[in-house]
Amino acid sequence: MGNHASKASEALFHEIFSQFSKEEQAVLLQKFGEFASDNIDLRDQKFGKARDAGVTALSIKKHLPSVLGEHLKDGFVQYFQIQSASIGKQLSSEKLEKLLQPSPSLHITQLGFISSIHNLAKTTPSDQSQAAFIVGHLYQGSLKTFIQEVIRTSLVYWFEGAYISQTGQVRESKNKGKKNSFLDLDGTNLIDYLILFPKLKHGEPEEDSLFNLIKEAEIEGYFNRGSFMDWYIKNTPFQHLFNILLSYVFLPKNLPQDSIKMLRFANSISPEIYSPYKALPNFSQLLTPSDYYVLNSHLPPDCRVTTHTLLFSSVRDGDSWSTFINSILYQGSTYIIIKDKDGYIFGGFTYEDWELKPKWYGNGKNFLFSIKPKLRLYPSTGYNDHYQYLNYGTKTLPNGLGMGGQFDFCGLWINSDIINGHSKATPLSSTYSSAQLSKKQEFKVDEIEVWLVKPTEKDPDEIPKGPKGSALDKNPAELELLQMSTNRKMYSKDVRDPSLFINEDE
């Protein structure tokens, strides 16, 4: 009888194991060998004792990377235990319920471990959701904790290797596989975005039954398995983050450059990031890594495989309109990120170059977004073609930068003084179906950043010149002091004739 069970176990192992690639098989055996190294002769790991003997939960937790955190470590170990005890058996609901209670005495077999990784990484979202339910301790009602831990861990791996120095060399992380204080954020905005994503995707109200159910689960101390499965199956962003975590922790690969490019294309690795401003911390004054991840997931794939470069920062470059315009004209695909005086952060992505022309242009790849107080994305609706607008130096049409809506009622507008702007949406802006982005319709700009995410494909010789800068633009504080000391206004600054590219249609 025992021999028959052993042969059945061996056959099941090979059936599951064969669904991994040769490289993945080697990694899984190596991983389990590390777990078993405390109590099993590694020479026997492939076909011998490791299959049946089992590994303690303590041994596995010891070898899991610290970036996982205790909540996730316990969740994975418990799922490995359940699979080891139940695989190939018909267990009653009572016994399965008992297995949900942590037990140090339950050892984890090689078959149980391989089967667990298969269910987590190689099955349908429906099957994966059942495994994730146990890993996240969701029978105890801790959905927010689970999401928070997945975000923190997966973004550490997603963001590694993103920075490149001025020499063009990738800067290696000194904390590989460990918690990074830069990423050790609560991620509240992203948690709320992920919780509500299945409803947001279909334009349903945010304050609905799903959100109430989650709040009730936190209070009641349990979470319904069926509700979680339905949420998980419809939640592709969370699936993506969870799979990033699984890949790096349990199925890591040594990737050639071509494979890295494909992973960037799929948003499984961050684009390279380059900031020439040493005075600015990290990579952005206005975005957190979780904000950047979500924005990046909505970029056209060809914008994820390029180096993302900081073109303009008002913290570094001041608030000169001509400096701002010269920084963004004919550069390529860009993010413009704004913080208003009320602390709201928002902006827009444009796929086509910014050009000076007195008419709307652009395409449907553009989108608007809100970062604070809520993380929300607003893709184009196709209702009209008012995707982007940039004009300066004309008397008959507005001068400034806009995205969506109509003149004087834009989804996002910055005046040509780079100080004032508006976001008007009653109830939504037509071009992007966006809500009001700023706290007040008419807002004051506090900070602006512009990121180049894909360089222009235009021939440099065919690119017109933008407005010329001036010492008056670059040193506004000195200009004010000069006016005060001489008791004279510098009228010349208002009548200078900038060199502009004027569209022939004007």
Side-chain angles (χ1 to χ4, degrees):
M1 186 73 177
N3 189 45
H4 177 75
S6 179
K7 286 183 178 180
S9 175
E10 191 74 28
L12 184 57
F13 175 87
H14 284 291
E15 180 185 343
I16 297 171
F17 200 54
S18 65
Q19 296 181 50
F20 293 93
S21 69
K22 294 293 185 184
E23 184 181 4
E24 289 172 336
Q25 290 176 358
V27 169
L28 287 171
L29 290 176
Q30 180 186 356
K31 284 285 180 186
F32 194 77
E34 292 172 2
F35 301 155
S37 60
D38 295 338
N39 59 344
I40 293 176
D41 188 342
L42 293 185
R43 292 172 298 177
D44 298 326
Q45 74 171 17
K46 190 170 182 181
F47 293 112
K49 297 177 183 177
R51 182 80 42 80
D52 302 315
V55 180
T56 65
L58 188 62
S59 179
I60 287 189
K61 285 185 68 175
K62 174 183 171 183
H63 290 279
L64 287 175
S66 60
V67 69
L68 275 178
E70 293 304 308
H71 182 85
L72 280 177
K73 284 183 181 180
D74 289 339
F76 280 116
V77 167
Q78 187 174 6
Y79 184 62
F80 298 159
Q81 287 178 324
I82 290 172
Q83 279 298 104
S84 298
S86 63
I87 188 168
K89 301 173 185 176
Q90 294 293 328
L91 297 182
S92 65
S93 57
E94 290 79 11
K95 287 187 177 181
L96 283 172
E97 188 72 26
K98 191 175 181 181
L99 287 174
L100 286 173
Q101 309 309 314
S103 173
S105 62
L106 276 176
H107 281 203
I108 295 159
T109 64
Q110 191 181 59
L111 175 57
F113 172 69
I114 299 294
S115 174
S116 296
I117 302 305
H118 174 263
N119 290 347
L120 285 163
K122 293 291 184 179
T123 50
T124 64
S126 177
D127 291 337
Q128 190 182 48
S129 68
Q130 297 187 59
F133 182 84
I134 296 172
V135 171
H137 305 292
L138 295 172
Y139 50 89
Q140 296 176 346
S142 52
L143 181 66
K144 283 192 174 182
T145 302
F146 181 41
I147 294 174
Q148 183 180 37
E149 289 301 305
V150 169
I151 289 170
R152 183 176 292 148
T153 304
S154 57
L155 286 183
V156 167
Y157 289 118
W158 183 81
F159 216 73
E160 280 185 350
Y163 290 115
I164 57 174
S165 67
Q166 293 191 27
T167 62
Q169 298 297 312
V170 174
R171 190 193 309 168
E172 293 294 334
S173 170
K174 295 180 180 179
N175 299 312
K176 195 171 182 67
K178 298 181 180 179
K179 285 190 177 180
N180 186 326
S181 59
F182 174 40
L183 299 175
D184 196 16
L185 308 169
D186 63 9
T188 301
N189 281 354
L190 182 51
I191 291 172
D192 290 343
Y193 174 78
L194 290 172
I195 285 175
L196 292 172
F197 180 81
K199 301 297 182 183
L200 295 174
K201 184 178 179 181
H202 299 289
E204 298 179 30
E206 296 185 18
E207 297 298 330
D208 59 8
S209 58
L210 176 67
F211 196 54
N212 290 333
L213 174 67
I214 290 165
K215 288 193 290 187
E216 287 171 9
E218 300 290 340
I219 296 168
E220 298 286 341
Y222 68 90
F223 198 86
N224 180 273
R225 183 192 293 258
S227 297
F228 173 77
M229 288 177 63
D230 183 61
W231 173 85
Y232 187 93
I233 290 166
K234 295 176 181 176
N235 205 319
T236 48
F238 185 75
Q239 290 175 34
H240 187 256
L241 285 165
F242 193 49
N243 284 319
I244 290 173
L245 182 157
L246 294 170
S247 296
Y248 278 87
V249 174
F250 298 111
L251 294 169
K253 299 177 181 178
N254 293 318
L255 296 169
Q257 204 62 34
D258 288 347
S259 296
I260 291 175
K261 185 175 181 180
M262 290 304 297
L263 288 174
R264 294 192 197 281
F265 192 82
N267 198 36
S268 294
I269 294 178
S270 166
E272 291 180 330
I273 298 172
Y274 172 65
S275 172
Y277 301 152
K278 293 181 179 179
L280 298 182
N282 304 319
F283 78 106
S284 172
Q285 291 276 96
L286 303 179
L287 297 177
T288 67
S290 58
D291 301 331
Y292 179 58
Y293 166 80
V294 174
L295 293 182
N296 204 65
S297 68
H298 284 74
L299 285 180
D302 60 342
C303 293
R304 300 176 193 153
V305 295
T306 51
T307 299
H308 291 187
T309 307
L310 185 61
L311 291 179
F312 176 86
S313 168
S314 58
V315 172
R316 163 67 187 262
D317 302 315
D319 56 3
S320 160
W321 173 257
S322 61
T323 303
F324 172 67
I325 292 302
N326 277 313
S327 298
I328 69 173
L329 277 176
Y330 304 102
Q331 293 293 322
S333 306
T334 54
Y335 286 131
I336 292 181
I337 308 154
I338 300 163
K339 179 183 178 184
D340 69 17
K341 292 291 186 179
D342 293 303
Y344 279 41
I345 300 176
F346 48 88
F349 164 75
T350 54
Y351 187 72
E352 292 188 8
D353 292 9
W354 284 105
E355 301 179 27
L356 280 168
K357 56 171 65 174
K359 64 180 182 180
W360 293 97
Y361 59 102
N363 67 48
K365 294 180 181 179
N366 291 9
F367 58 84
L368 291 177
F369 54 84
S370 167
I371 300 297
K372 286 184 178 178
K374 290 182 178 181
L375 182 58
R376 298 291 184 265
L377 280 295
Y378 303 104
S380 61
T381 61
Y383 180 81
N384 60 36
D385 60 358
H386 293 186
Y387 300 114
Q388 62 193 92
Y389 173 91
L390 180 61
N391 192 39
Y392 181 49
T394 63
K395 296 180 180 179
T396 56
L397 286 169
N399 293 310
L401 178 151
M403 291 185 68
Q406 306 285 342
F407 292 138
D408 299 323
F409 292 93
C410 289
L412 175 61
W413 176 266
I414 308 172
N415 287 357
S416 58
D417 60 8
I418 206 175
I419 295 172
N420 297 285
H422 73 249
S423 176
K424 298 181 180 179
T426 48
L428 298 173
S429 177
S430 55
T431 312
Y432 298 101
S433 193
S434 55
Q436 183 175 307
L437 302 175
S438 49
K439 183 174 183 179
K440 302 170 185 144
Q441 284 192 346
E442 305 281 348
F443 64 83
K444 297 283 186 182
V445 174
D446 187 36
E447 293 181 37
I448 297 183
E449 286 183 357
V450 182
W451 285 85
L452 175 67
V453 298
K454 183 190 174 200
T456 184
E457 296 176 355
K458 289 183 171 63
D459 187 325
D461 295 332
E462 297 177 1
I463 296 176
K465 303 297 182 184
K468 294 178 181 178
S470 161
L472 300 178
D473 294 317
K474 295 177 181 178
N475 301 282
E478 286 80 353
L479 172 63
E480 187 175 348
L481 287 172
L482 181 60
Q483 290 181 148
M484 289 173 62
S485 63
T486 61
N487 199 28
R488 293 182 179 181
K489 181 179 179 181
M490 306 298 290
Y491 291 100
S492 60
K493 76 182 181 67
D494 296 319
V495 298
R496 284 179 288 119
D497 184 20
S499 175
L500 298 174
F501 166 65
I502 304 299
N503 191 287
E504 294 178 356
D505 295 337
E506 186 182 7

